[in-house]
Amino acid sequence: SKLATTFLGTSVDDGDAAACAEALWHLRPVLEAKLEKNGMKRLYEEIELPLCDVLYRMECLGIDIDRQQLIAFGEMLTARISDCEALIYAYSEGPFNINSTKQLGELLFDKLGLPPVKKTKTGYSTNADVLEKLKNKHPIIPAIMDDRMLAKLKSTYTDGLVKVADENGRIHSCFNQTVTATGRLSSTEPNLQNI
């Protein structure tokens, strides 16, 4: 509908398949002329269109993962997270919800007396920048930073990848060639570039 509005000056309902198909029919000559005018027709025909086929085949084939290795890695991360939590609880003199910004802020800045770096409307900030500035002020800070890093690794890499793999252990990400402003590929569901 955005292309139809921009190049044809008409509004198209995305839910109306017939109207979208008609808009595409009318858009083709307009966009081909624009490609020609901008000297991009060869780029489109020799690189972008053939790449569509390659990306389609990549999406269908998927990326093979070693499910057992990821599960083993996840178990190792779980053990290390438990070690971090035990260390954090020892420094805090008791358990609390490490993932609660409010509880962590109260522990660090009220109970342990660390200097607050940043306050928000709801209390103390305990984001990565704040912890980085405090990392040499108390041994609990590196333990919290390690806990967060390990938890992120576990949720993103081990749990996340195993969850999105099909029954054959393959991940079928969507590769997008027209999303980024720089022209590089992007990937979604999951975003394999971050991984």
Side-chain angles (χ1 to χ4, degrees):
S1 68
K2 287 182 184 178
L3 290 174
T5 303
T6 303
F7 295 103
L8 302 176
T10 60
S11 178
V12 177
D13 177 10
D14 287 335
D16 185 347
C20 288
E22 183 179 353
L24 284 174
W25 180 261
H26 293 293
L27 278 166
R28 182 177 178 162
V30 173
L31 294 177
E32 280 180 343
K34 192 161 181 65
L35 281 173
E36 191 74 53
K37 179 183 174 193
N38 292 332
M40 301 173 92
K41 191 166 183 177
R42 185 168 169 230
L43 169 71
Y44 174 71
E45 291 174 347
E46 295 180 17
I47 295 175
E48 297 296 340
L49 276 181
L51 181 59
C52 288
D53 184 51
V54 172
L55 295 178
Y56 171 75
R57 286 184 279 133
M58 286 171 55
E59 289 174 3
C60 290
L61 181 60
I63 296 166
D64 194 25
I65 63 166
D66 185 335
R67 188 185 301 267
Q68 292 313 114
Q69 185 63 38
L70 277 174
I71 291 169
F73 183 57
E75 290 168 356
M76 182 272 295
L77 289 173
T78 298
R80 288 189 55 195
I81 290 167
S82 293
D83 292 343
C84 283
E85 289 175 354
L87 186 59
I88 292 166
Y89 295 151
Y91 286 127
S92 67
E93 298 175 355
F96 67 100
N97 183 353
I98 298 168
N99 296 317
S100 165
T101 301
K102 184 176 187 301
Q103 289 182 33
L104 184 59
E106 288 170 357
L107 169 74
L108 297 178
F109 306 114
D110 294 335
K111 185 175 179 182
L112 298 177
L114 296 173
V117 175
K118 182 178 170 186
K119 278 194 109 174
T120 65
K121 291 178 183 176
T122 57
Y124 299 109
S125 174
T126 60
N127 68 22
D129 292 336
V130 168
L131 294 180
E132 185 65 33
K133 289 176 182 162
L134 295 172
K135 72 179 178 183
N136 296 323
K137 303 281 185 195
H138 193 285
I140 197 172
I141 302 297
I144 293 167
M145 292 170 72
D146 287 349
D147 180 73
R148 285 184 177 179
M149 177 201 56
L150 294 168
K152 178 73 174 165
L153 282 172
K154 184 170 180 345
S155 68
T156 301
Y157 299 108
T158 60
D159 300 348
L161 290 177
V162 168
K163 186 169 51 176
V164 296
D166 68 11
E167 64 278 355
N168 299 314
R170 301 187 82 79
I171 297 171
H172 300 275
S173 183
C174 296
F175 296 100
N176 311 296
Q177 67 188 108
T178 60
V179 172
T180 66
T182 59
R184 67 173 173 78
L185 288 176
S186 69
S187 164
T188 55
E189 301 175 36
N191 183 346
L192 294 174
Q193 288 166 256
N194 285 352
I195 297 167

